[in-house]
């Protein structure tokens, strides 16, 4: 078993079985609602390569930058992963290392690994400290994925019927489009 530094409950059952690895892809579309200028958050979560959860949601606050909306999306994804890992552990399923989170905003990803980053807005600062804390505990690791490979674009942007949309849908639901 890997040496995780995250806090584990003392009443946790003894782990049995082969365990799991969680991965996620997260994205945000800044100010996509033309009426209210709220951003849209989306993320997918896989457990051992099987898609188990997805979320597409309008953010509750208006963010003034794409950085802010991407940071809020990353925080929501991390909150979900923390809860999922806890629930599976409490069922006696062992954890195999950290969760892997992929995003397409390099500045957000850089800020999740810089311990002394300075953020002016309170909401961004809270999101930063939450994500940074989990990264320091090795609960999750964040990494860059090119926007053309980020499946979470399906949840945040209106993709026309084309090659990019078809590629993302085929990765998630293999039988929707005929294979060439």
């Amino acid at each position: 078993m890997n040496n995780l530094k995250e806090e584990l409950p003392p009443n946790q059952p003894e782990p049995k079985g082969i365990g799991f690895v969680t991965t996620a892809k997260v994205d945000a579309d800044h100010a996509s609602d033309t009426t209210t200028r709220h951003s849209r958050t989306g993320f997918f979560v896989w457990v051992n390569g099987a898609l188990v959860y997805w979320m597409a949601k309008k953010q509750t606050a208006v963010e003034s930058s794409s950085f802010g909306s991407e940071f809020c999306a990353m925080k929501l994804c991390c909150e979900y992963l923390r809860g999922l890992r806890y629930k599976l552990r409490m069922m006696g399923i062992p954890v195999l290392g950290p969760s892997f989170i992929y995003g397409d905003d390099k500045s957000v990803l850089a800020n999740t690994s810089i311990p002394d980053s300075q953020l002016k807005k309170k909401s961004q600062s809270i999101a930063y400290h939450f994500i940074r804390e989990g990264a320091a505990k090795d609960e999750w690791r964040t990494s860059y994925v090119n926007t053309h490979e980020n499946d979470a674009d399906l949840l945040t942007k209106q993709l026309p019927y084309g090659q990019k949309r078809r590629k993302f849908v085929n990765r998630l639901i293999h039988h929707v489009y005929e294979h060439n």
Side-chain angles (χ1 to χ4, degrees):
M1 195 84 144
N2 292 345
N3 294 328
L4 294 179
K5 294 176 256 172
E6 64 184 299
E7 298 171 24
L8 301 174
N11 59 344
Q12 156 182 327
E14 190 63 35
K16 296 178 180 159
I18 59 172
F20 66 93
V21 175
T22 54
T23 56
K25 288 190 179 177
V26 62
D27 194 30
D29 191 18
H30 179 251
S32 56
D33 186 323
T34 56
T35 306
T36 63
R37 289 299 175 197
H38 284 251
S39 301
R40 183 161 295 283
T41 292
F43 63 87
F44 287 109
V45 176
W46 290 268
V47 173
N48 283 347
L51 181 64
V52 295
Y53 186 78
W54 65 90
M55 186 197 74
K57 177 181 174 181
K58 192 185 301 185
Q59 292 181 0
T60 55
V62 177
E63 289 293 336
S64 58
S65 66
S66 59
F67 175 82
S69 58
E70 291 274 354
F71 230 118
C72 287
M74 179 72 74
K75 180 179 170 270
L76 279 174
C77 182
C78 290
E79 287 172 341
Y80 178 79
L81 286 171
R82 180 173 278 175
L84 177 67
R85 290 166 63 89
Y86 181 82
K87 287 174 193 169
L88 291 172
R89 273 202 183 100
M90 295 314 284
M91 289 189 270
I93 302 170
V95 176
L96 302 177
S99 297
F100 298 95
I101 306 170
Y102 300 94
D104 59 9
D105 189 310
K106 289 183 180 180
S107 60
V108 169
L109 297 169
N111 273 283
T112 62
S113 58
I114 299 171
D116 58 346
S117 180
Q118 298 285 324
L119 297 171
K120 304 278 188 240
K121 290 181 74 177
K122 187 175 182 179
S123 63
Q124 290 175 2
S125 180
I126 291 168
Y128 163 77
H129 286 290
F130 178 79
I131 296 166
R132 213 21 234 138
E133 177 186 68
K137 291 179 180 180
D138 208 25
E139 258 182 280
W140 46 72
R141 295 181 187 165
T142 59
S143 184
Y144 176 75
V145 63
N146 188 298
T147 190
H148 299 295
E149 298 299 317
N150 191 353
D151 302 335
D153 272 1
L154 276 173
L155 302 173
T156 58
K157 297 166 184 70
Q158 293 181 356
L159 297 177
Y161 291 103
Q163 191 173 6
K164 185 175 181 179
R165 178 184 175 125
R166 180 177 235 136
K167 176 176 70 171
F168 289 158
V169 171
N170 275 332
R171 284 187 196 166
L172 300 170
I173 310 170
H174 302 287
H175 64 280
V176 171
Y177 293 116
E178 293 180 24
H179 295 285
N180 297 345

